[in-house]
Amino acid sequence: DEAGGGPIPCEACEGTGRVVQVIRMGPMVQPIQQPCEACHGAGSSVTMKTKVEVLDVFVEKGAPDGHKIVLHGKADESPGVESGDVIVVVRQQEHKRFLRRGADLYLEEEISLADALTGFRIVVPHLDGRKLVVKSKPGEVLQPGHGGPALKGVQGEGMPFHKDPFTFGNLFLVISIRFPVALPPDVTPELRRLLGASDPDSEDNAVVEAKDGDEVEHCVAEDIDPLESSKRAEVGAEAYEEDDGDGRLQCRQQ
């Protein structure tokens, strides 16, 4: 809001800003001056009108989430009072692919085991419309991180630093390796040879070296759900408690 014209003298106090109130105390009469309630002691009033103004807000490159932009003197006006400021708070929207941490960007990607062993090539559509073709170093084998995906960085392809727009953070690729479900048996010997692994069925590669008199049993590793296995153990324990030892089932003691 802003003033719509010049000040208008207050009719209640005739522009003085004060009114006289008479107080009777027994036979005595005492006049007391008080601020005029109609004009709040100003002596005049101003007609206010509403004006719509479109404010242009410039967001600097690299502005962080929660950054405040102050537009001085753009708040509502009041008679005799300096106009306040409009404060714009920048809120960052989440991106469907990129994750921002300061000036650094993180992007999740998935590659095949073959690409992890022989070299990968990833095309990254960047935020500014460019397409980055990211390749691994020649001969490099991508190693997974400790208990998680591999992490590779691209220098200077992150966000610009706030207040230093010509310096950029880094782009980090969080790479998961997709393993094949199975391999044809006829290709595994050649694959093991290329990777420098020996034959698992040879005597030299035996996990357990059997000595004379040792009992050796060969087993096959399978996919077993540990939760289902735990449930089976609980059911078996309950059945054992219900058995009284002579083949008859009885109620358990509470």
Side-chain angles (χ1 to χ4, degrees):
D1 294 343
E2 65 176 9
I8 302 174
C10 178
E11 296 181 357
C13 64
E14 298 180 349
T16 62
R18 307 186 68 82
V19 294
V20 178
Q21 184 178 5
V22 178
I23 299 178
R24 295 183 179 274
M25 302 178 62
M28 298 179 60
V29 177
Q30 182 178 1
I32 298 178
Q33 287 191 353
Q34 293 183 340
C36 177
E37 295 182 358
C39 63
H40 303 287
S44 61
S45 60
V46 178
T47 302
M48 304 297 293
K49 67 176 182 179
T50 300
K51 177 183 177 182
V52 178
E53 181 180 0
V54 179
L55 303 178
D56 292 328
V57 180
F58 176 72
V59 180
E60 298 174 341
K61 290 184 177 181
D65 185 46
H67 176 64
K68 295 181 178 180
I69 302 172
V70 180
L71 304 177
H72 297 284
K74 294 298 183 180
D76 290 344
E77 297 179 355
S78 297
V81 180
E82 184 179 356
S83 298
D85 301 332
V86 172
I87 300 177
V88 179
V89 181
V90 177
R91 290 302 180 194
Q92 177 181 294
Q93 291 184 345
E94 292 187 3
H95 195 271
K96 61 181 181 180
R97 294 199 64 198
F98 289 93
L99 176 65
R100 181 184 181 186
R101 287 290 181 266
D104 294 330
L105 291 175
Y106 289 80
L107 178 64
E108 292 185 354
E109 291 287 349
E110 184 182 70
I111 63 173
S112 65
L113 177 60
D115 289 338
L117 295 174
T118 62
F120 63 83
R121 177 181 181 273
I122 300 175
V123 179
V124 179
H126 214 320
L127 295 173
D128 56 4
R130 294 178 299 140
K131 288 188 177 180
L132 301 180
V133 180
V134 184
K135 299 180 181 180
S136 56
K137 295 180 180 179
E140 179 185 16
V141 175
L142 187 64
Q143 301 285 344
H146 297 288
L151 186 66
K152 305 297 289 187
V154 182
Q155 189 78 25
E157 289 297 342
M159 296 286 292
F161 283 94
H162 190 218
K163 303 297 185 181
D164 189 7
F166 297 103
T167 305
F168 290 79
N170 300 318
L171 170 63
F172 289 95
L173 300 179
V174 184
I175 305 176
S176 299
I177 301 174
R178 183 177 64 255
F179 283 77
V181 178
L183 290 174
D186 57 338
V187 304
T188 53
E190 180 65 14
L191 183 60
R192 295 186 65 87
R193 185 188 69 80
L194 293 174
L195 296 178
S198 58
D199 186 358
D201 296 328
S202 65
E203 295 295 334
D204 296 337
N205 197 46
V207 177
V208 179
E209 295 183 359
K211 298 180 180 179
D212 293 339
D214 287 348
E215 182 179 352
V216 179
E217 184 174 349
H218 294 274
C219 306
V220 177
E222 301 180 43
D223 293 327
I224 301 176
D225 188 345
L227 295 179
E228 291 296 330
S229 180
S230 177
K231 291 179 182 178
R232 289 184 59 189
E234 293 176 359
V235 172
E238 292 178 357
Y240 181 80
E241 291 180 3
E242 293 175 350
D243 191 344
D244 65 352
D246 57 2
R248 294 178 298 174
L249 298 180
Q250 295 183 351
C251 294
R252 290 178 294 170
Q253 298 296 324
Q254 300 294 327

